[in-house]
């Protein structure tokens, strides 16, 4: 994912997000900052998070989806630095992909739960939208069509 002069790279095997400065001299991009998607809390304190999706929210925050610990994390972006702002349980098992929907809602494909769920990152509420056999990717259609099809006004 590229935003202006920075690229954000999700690193699945070491559970990190790297910020790459694309304006480095001599056409050589440099990793400017790396943030962990592992969290030193609870039962998942030493488990790899296995991040599987990286998205941006309308407010500029980065969202990572962690299938290893079944959470979604929101990072604040300040220049080349990332700061963990929040972590939300997905309400299901093995999240693979997500799309943003509005200012605080994301829709997540939960592969091992055979489910697609909406998560409100502000309230931590979740709602199942559909039963789907082993969903792995989500591609959004134009937003107005989504609202009409789902009959929702989030």
């Amino acid at each position: 994912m590229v935003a202006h002069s920075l690229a954000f790279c999700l690193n699945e095997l070491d559970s990190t997000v790297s910020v790459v400065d694309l304006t480095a001299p001599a056409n050589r991009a440099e990793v400017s900052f790396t943030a962990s998607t592992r969290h030193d809390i609870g039962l998942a304190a030493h488990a790899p998070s296995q991040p599987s999706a990286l998205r941006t929210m309308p407010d500029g925050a980065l969202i990572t989806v962690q299938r290893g610990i079944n959470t979604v994390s929101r990072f604040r972006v300040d220049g080349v630095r990332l700061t963990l702002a929040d972590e939300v349980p997905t309400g299901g098992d093995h999240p693979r992909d997500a799309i943003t929907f509005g200012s605080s809602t994301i829709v997540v494909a939960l592969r091992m739960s055979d489910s697609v769920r909406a998560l409100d990152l502000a309230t931590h509420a979740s709602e199942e939208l559909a039963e789907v056999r082993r969903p792995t990717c989500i591609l959004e259609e134009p937003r107005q069509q989504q609202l009409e099809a789902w009959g929702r006004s989030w």
Side-chain angles (χ1 to χ4, degrees):
M1 175 175 294
V2 178
H4 306 288
S5 60
L6 300 175
F8 301 95
C9 182
L10 191 60
N11 311 307
E12 176 188 20
L13 298 181
D14 70 355
S15 299
T16 62
V17 179
S18 295
V19 181
V20 180
D21 181 357
L22 301 176
T23 64
N27 295 325
R28 179 170 166 77
E30 298 178 358
V31 175
S32 300
F33 187 79
T34 300
S36 178
T37 61
R38 283 190 188 123
H39 305 288
D40 298 324
I41 55 174
L43 297 174
H46 301 290
S49 66
Q50 296 176 306
S52 59
L54 177 65
R55 301 289 178 263
T56 56
M57 294 298 289
D59 66 359
L62 285 183
I63 298 296
T64 61
V65 176
Q66 286 83 233
R67 71 179 190 273
I69 56 176
N70 299 323
T71 62
V72 172
S73 294
R74 181 178 7 199
F75 291 87
R76 285 188 301 277
V77 180
D78 182 19
V80 298
R81 296 195 59 82
L82 301 176
T83 304
L84 179 65
D86 198 12
E87 184 175 31
V88 179
T90 61
D93 192 22
H94 208 86
R96 293 288 303 194
D97 199 7
I99 57 173
T100 62
F101 193 86
S103 63
S104 69
T105 301
I106 64 170
V107 177
V108 181
L110 297 161
R111 183 174 167 260
M112 300 307 285
S113 294
D114 293 333
S115 178
V116 174
R117 294 187 75 83
L119 301 176
D120 185 319
L121 299 177
T123 65
H124 296 199
S126 70
E127 174 186 356
E128 184 173 67
L129 299 176
E131 287 185 34
V132 178
R133 179 140 171 79
R134 302 289 193 250
T136 58
C137 296
I138 299 177
L139 177 65
E140 64 183 308
E141 64 180 340
R143 295 197 188 277
Q144 186 58 37
Q145 291 175 7
Q146 281 179 328
L147 288 172
E148 291 171 3
W150 289 347
R152 298 214 174 35
S153 59
W154 306 333

